[in-house]
Each structure stands twice: as structure tokens, then as C-alpha cells.
Amino acid sequence: MTRTAPAPTRRPASTRGGPVRQGPGHRRAAWAAWGFLVPITAYLLAFYAYPMYRNLELSLRHYTVRSFVQGDAPFTGFANYLKVLTDATFVPALWHTVVFTVVSLAFQFTLGLGLALFFARHFPLSATLRALFLVPWLLPLIVSASTWAWMLNSDSGVINAALGAIGAGPVNWLTSPDWSLWSVTIANIWIGVPFNLVVLYSGLQAISPAVYEAAALDGATGWQRFRHVTLPLLRPVSAITLLLGLVYTLKVFDIIWIMTKGGPSGSSTTLSTWSYRLGFGNLVPAFGPGAAVGNILIAIALAFGLLYIRLQRRQDPS
Amino acid sequence: MTTPRRWWKTIIGLALTGVMLFPVYWMINVSFTRDRDMRKSPPSWFPADPTLDGYRAVIDQQLPYLGTSLLVGLGTVALTLVIAAPAAYSLARLRPRGGTALSFALLIAQMIPGIIMAMGLYATYLNLGVLNTLPGLIVADTTLAVPFAVLILTTFMTGIPRELLHAARVDGAGTVRTFWSIVLPVSRNATVTVALFTFLWAWSDFIYASTLDSGGDHQPITLGIYHYIGNNNQQWNAIMATAVVASIPATALLVVAQRYVTAGVTAGAVKD
């Protein structure tokens, strides 16, 4: 899945054209302005607000397949939430979500930063290679996920073949409960590195060379320059990259579902795959509990999302 | 920095790129591998005895899926632009009261996990009777792109020189005319960026396809691949060949429009 947010960097510097508010045409201008917003407003109400409302409603009623179609499900308050929170799947799913998110972010960011530093100074072919690094990020997730699934196949996968060549035993990447979560995390790291690379690279480019020259004049070594110049100046961009990454890693669904379906025996189930399984993955769908898990997930995502918006507003007062 | 040192970096860079792109290479390699070599141990590191069987399977079985994906992608692009471009113009240049709240709503909207949207849309679509239809899938796919499209286009349109719009007004052009004849043509680059990303996301969409169109007569290529895997199909060359074909838009995008891609990513495109 793909989502976006406004740039932490490279915003056009305050070339905002002001509104034309003076004159007799003022009121007409206001009407015209809202006229252009009618489609998006209607769209947001119909395809965001209403589905979200339906989702909330699903989570507060006891739905069966029949009442789902007829719409006469009895109101049950927080029964679905209670059911979900006390379910044996909840704590492991939450824990897997945390591990998946934290480990993914840590590696994506570290690798992305290392590569951004590597590419920061131009060298022959650097632009081309940097562009090639984007490929994993642009591929459809089903393509990446199925490729990784085959690479990690226990018997015929190339990863186990490589491990065998250096004398390490074969690992049941996708079929062992000890490894499945790590397998999907590895695939997710691979997909997320390019984004971190590109954003951090543009953050590095925004640091004035004069700062480095000054540091070099003061006799700072390479490591000191990184530690005391690059890192502090990169902190705003880093914070935004990480927070945004967090919001979007929380909801990763495709990769896990395609590679392991959350299994074996729930060992790679996260909140999002659990929600999907409850709502769509069984013969008898449990829409109520599925929606409840979804709403718990959304609460977590929005908490961090608002933190992100606050951070960004502070940096980019426009 | 001296020249030899720079070439060293190129060599290291090539090695790193090789490691990073190995899965892509492996996908291509497997797509040419014969069935009987598929479970060979150790696997062949390059297709020594290549076969086109996988690609034949794509042509025999996957063409309808590819066609559907193309249609859904184009439809999603069109609908996204129709909704987003006027909104961006208004937010950037006309700036009505309440515009800020709308921008905020868009920021929030793009943080909603897809699985939750899918469940809400499923319930809605069921009542409307548009489950398993292409228009339904197209509308769902636009939710992947509309907030991004508005944000990118607003940022770009904000930067259009005021004099240009002023001149249009002096010449007697109304708001609609200014939008259609001045703002849209000038915003071509941003529009192309938005269109490319929107197409790619609609093309790659799995979650909406699997929830809202899993029983449809016309299904996109992501479901085509998913059914292949799900059928316990051992023909991994066919699966990987389909994956290669499904990757063509992404690759074409990178080759043809690299500068737009980088612009889109640094404008904050995030894939999750």
C-alpha cells in the first residue's frame, strides 16, 4: 500500500499567492472557491467519513451474515471490544505489531541513513545507482512478497542454499513459528529502505556545505563531523521520516498476508492481519470483532499521526 | 577527492545496488527456470537452460487480469485528477475559509489503515450493490491517491506566479476559465507526477481488490498472482513471470520519468 505526506524538505519557500479578497467580487469569489471544493468534500464524506462511520457501527453491534445484509443487528456497546481485548490472539498480535514495526523502522532508517551518507558525495554513476535503489519501493507489494516467499522457501529457496554453502543449517523461514515474523520483517525492511534513503538524502543535501567547511577548519574528524554536525542538523528530517514510517508500518498488511497469512499458528499475526482475518479470512466473517480490532489499530496510528503533524507544523510554519 | 577514490565508491555502489536488487534478479531468473530445475539444490544462479513456459502461461492465463488492471489504473487516475485538481486550485489560490480544516482532514485521511477503509467500504458497497464491480474498485483505489494528489498539486499551484493569474483576470477570464486555461496547463509536471503515482498504486493495489472484488468477473493482476500462489501452484516460473510482467509499469515509470518519481518521493511519498 502506498501513502504519502507532505515533504519535510524542499517546500517552495513562501511563494504563496494571496487570495483576492478585496473588491465587490469578494462574496462571489468565496462561492467560487467553495464551488471548486464541492467534489472533494462530497468525496471525503462519501468514501472516507461514511465508511469510517460504518466501521464504528460494525464494531458496536453484533453482526451476523444475515443481519449484515439486512442491517438489523442488535446494539451491543463495547462487547466486541471486550471480546477482542480478552481474546488469546490480542496480546501476541499487539506484540508482533510492536516488534515488526520497531525492528523494521530501526533497520530501514539505519540502512537508509548509511546509504544516504554514501551517496551524499557524487561519484561516477551515483545518480543512476540511487535511482535503481528505488525499484523495491516501486514494485507492487504482491510481487515483492511472492518473490521473497520463494527465496525463503525451506527446500528450494536461494537463501537456504546460500546458508548451506557457508555451512549453516536450513531455516524454515516461513513455516516455523520461530522465524515467520523475522521473515516478513526482513522483506518489509527491504521494501522500506529506498524511501528512507531518498528522504534522508534530500535532507543531507539541504545541509549547507559551509557548515562542513567550518567544522573541517576547526579540525573536526569525519566521525566528529557526522556526530556533531550531520546528526543534529538532520534531526528534524529524521524525526519526521521515523514517525511517518511508524504510522505506515503499523498498517502493513499485504506483505504479511501474502507471505504467511499471519501464520503458522498466529506467529506472524499483527493487528492488521488479525483484523482482516476476522472480517474476511474465515468462512463465517466476524465483522464486529474485525472492525473493533481495526479501530484499535486506527487509534494507535492516529495518535502517532497527530504527533507527526504537530512536529511538521512546528518545522514548516506556513 | 581524488579520481581513484571516486571510482572505488562506484565499485562499492555497484556492489550495494547488486545486493539490493538481488531479489529482483532472482524473480527474473526463476521466471525463466524450467519446472524440473525449480527444486534443484543448489539452485542455478542464472538461467543456464532458459524456458519461456512461464511467459506462455502469462499470455494464456493472465491477459484478462492485466487488461483489468490497466483499466482500473486509468480510471483511478482520471477520477483522482477530476477530484483533486479543482480542490488543489481552490486551496492554493482561492483559499476559502475552512480550507485549512479540509487540508487537515486530508492529512488524517491518508493515515487510516487500508484494512479499516476496506471493511467500511465493504459494508457500504454491500448496501449499494457495487461489490465486485470495476467502478467500485476504481473508487476504492482513488482513496489511495486523492490526499497525496491534493497535497502535491496544492504545493505546486501555490508556486504559480501571481502575475500570471492576475494577467488572466485583467483579460476578463473568470475563475473557472483561469483554472482550465492557465493553472492546469502550467501545472503539467505536478499533474504528471500525480498521475504516475496514482496509476502505480492502483495497479499495485491488493487489499481493496481482495476485499471488494474477490468475487468479481474482472479481477486485477494482483489477484491473478494471488490466485496462482493460493492454488498451491508449483509452477513458480509462471508465478514469477507474472510478477515480472506486473512490475513493468513500475520499471517503465522509473526509466521514463525518473525525475518525477524522485520529486514524488521527496514530496513525501510513503509506501507501507
Side-chain angles (χ1 to χ4, degrees):
Chain A
M1 288 292 96
T2 358
R3 285 304 170 89
T4 54
T9 51
R10 275 207 210 164
R11 275 252 180 123
S14 69
T15 40
R16 287 193 166 246
V20 189
R21 285 237 170 100
Q22 301 83 5
H26 179 184
R27 180 161 298 173
R28 233 182 55 204
W31 276 108
W34 268 101
F36 280 97
L37 291 180
V38 165
I40 187 109
T41 312
Y43 175 84
L44 283 178
L45 288 175
F47 299 112
Y48 275 99
Y50 185 69
M52 295 315 291
Y53 161 75
R54 280 291 276 150
N55 206 53
L56 191 65
E57 208 212 351
L58 283 178
S59 74
L60 296 176
R61 287 175 188 272
H62 180 74
Y63 271 97
T64 59
V65 176
R66 204 182 125 267
S67 59
F68 194 75
V69 178
Q70 297 183 341
D72 56 355
F75 185 80
T76 51
F78 290 99
N80 283 324
Y81 288 90
L82 204 66
K83 190 173 165 194
V84 162
L85 288 171
T86 53
D87 194 293
T89 313
F90 179 73
V91 173
L94 185 64
W95 173 242
H96 296 154
T97 309
V98 171
V99 171
F100 179 77
T101 307
V102 170
V103 175
S104 289
L105 280 183
F107 278 92
Q108 287 172 358
F109 183 81
T110 316
L111 294 172
L113 181 60
L115 288 164
L117 287 166
F118 177 75
F119 281 110
R121 294 270 189 104
H122 290 276
F123 54 86
L125 285 181
S126 65
T128 313
L129 295 181
R130 202 155 41 81
L132 282 175
F133 259 83
L134 279 173
V135 169
W137 190 78
L138 291 171
L139 290 182
L141 288 174
I142 184 126
V143 167
S144 318
S146 47
T147 304
W148 275 99
W150 183 244
M151 284 171 57
L152 293 169
N153 185 287
S154 296
D155 306 318
S156 325
V158 65
I159 307 263
N160 273 349
L163 283 179
I166 58 168
V171 175
N172 290 322
W173 294 100
L174 299 172
T175 49
S176 145
D178 298 331
W179 286 100
S180 60
L181 188 61
W182 297 110
S183 304
V184 294
T185 309
I186 290 170
N188 189 54
I189 292 169
W190 181 75
I191 291 162
V193 163
F195 170 70
N196 283 264
L197 160 64
V198 172
V199 175
L200 292 171
Y201 174 83
S202 77
L204 283 179
Q205 297 299 307
I207 299 176
S208 159
V211 185
Y212 288 110
E213 281 163 27
L217 279 180
D218 288 345
T221 62
W223 169 250
Q224 283 171 329
R225 280 204 300 271
F226 173 71
R227 177 76 188 72
H228 298 290
V229 179
T230 312
L231 271 190
L233 286 175
L234 206 59
R235 207 158 68 189
V237 176
S238 307
I240 280 180
T241 314
L242 280 171
L243 259 183
L244 213 50
L246 178 72
V247 171
Y248 296 122
T249 311
L250 275 178
K251 58 184 197 182
V252 166
F253 158 77
D254 312 43
I255 307 162
I256 302 178
W257 188 259
I258 294 161
M259 285 177 73
T260 66
K261 285 200 162 64
S265 58
S267 57
S268 57
T269 294
T270 62
L271 289 178
S272 57
T273 62
W274 188 29
S275 175
Y276 182 91
R277 179 183 293 284
L278 286 168
F280 299 103
N282 297 323
L283 279 178
V284 184
F287 293 109
V293 174
N295 287 330
I296 294 171
L297 183 63
I298 211 173
I300 303 173
L302 282 185
F304 288 108
L306 291 174
L307 192 63
Y308 155 76
I309 291 174
R310 241 192 86 175
L311 251 179
Q312 173 153 48
R313 286 278 152 89
R314 205 188 297 165
Q315 271 166 42
D316 185 37
S318 57
Chain B
M1 220 178 264
T2 53
T3 315
R5 174 102 191 267
R6 281 155 58 91
W7 277 105
W8 264 115
K9 283 195 86 170
T10 304
I11 291 165
I12 298 171
L14 281 169
L16 290 172
T17 314
V19 172
M20 189 70 179
L21 294 190
F22 180 78
V24 179
Y25 168 73
W26 200 248
M27 166 176 81
I28 297 169
N29 181 24
V30 172
S31 77
F32 287 112
T33 304
R34 287 182 191 278
D35 281 336
R36 59 179 150 82
D37 296 337
M38 200 60 74
R39 298 201 174 263
K40 205 169 71 180
S41 181
S44 312
W45 291 87
F46 58 96
D49 180 22
T51 172
L52 286 174
D53 286 352
Y55 291 89
R56 258 176 231 123
V58 173
I59 291 170
D60 288 347
Q61 297 159 26
Q62 300 286 346
L63 280 186
Y65 293 100
L66 289 165
T68 305
S69 278
L70 190 67
L71 204 66
V72 169
L74 294 176
T76 307
V77 170
L79 186 58
T80 300
L81 288 177
V82 165
I83 294 167
Y89 171 56
S90 179
L91 290 175
R93 310 304 311 209
L94 310 172
R95 303 176 77 196
R97 215 178 288 253
T100 326
L102 192 69
S103 306
F104 188 75
L106 287 167
L107 269 182
I108 297 290
Q110 63 175 355
M111 292 177 177
I112 301 170
I115 175 66
I116 294 160
M117 287 294 293
M119 214 170 286
L121 283 171
Y122 183 87
T124 313
Y125 278 17
L126 189 71
N127 295 346
L128 292 175
V130 289
L131 272 182
N132 300 323
T133 65
L134 286 192
L137 183 58
I138 288 173
V139 168
D141 280 352
T142 59
T143 64
L144 299 170
V146 163
F148 167 78
V150 176
L151 293 168
I152 295 275
L153 289 171
T154 305
T155 310
F156 187 87
M157 289 177 184
T158 305
I160 298 176
R162 188 192 288 234
E163 294 73 24
L164 199 61
L165 303 183
H166 191 71
R169 213 157 55 109
V170 169
D171 287 347
T175 328
V176 176
R177 184 78 198 275
T178 310
F179 169 65
W180 187 254
S181 313
I182 310 282
V183 174
L184 271 189
V186 168
S187 310
R188 214 198 64 175
N189 281 2
T191 313
V192 171
T193 307
V194 165
L196 290 173
F197 273 94
T198 304
F199 182 83
L200 201 57
W201 292 335
W203 178 273
S204 312
D205 163 68
F206 170 73
I207 196 163
Y208 291 138
S210 75
T211 50
L212 305 174
D213 190 32
S214 60
D217 296 332
H218 304 283
Q219 299 186 354
I221 187 65
T222 47
L223 286 189
I225 298 177
Y226 189 63
H227 295 323
Y228 250 164
I229 308 173
N231 290 345
N232 240 339
N233 195 315
Q234 294 307 307
Q235 282 182 299
W236 273 86
N237 51 15
I239 298 174
M240 288 293 110
T242 318
V244 170
V245 174
S247 307
I248 288 174
T251 319
L253 184 76
L254 200 62
V255 172
V256 178
Q258 194 202 320
R259 68 197 169 104
Y260 296 114
V261 174
T262 323
V265 181
T266 45
V270 179
K271 188 170 183 179
D272 63 43

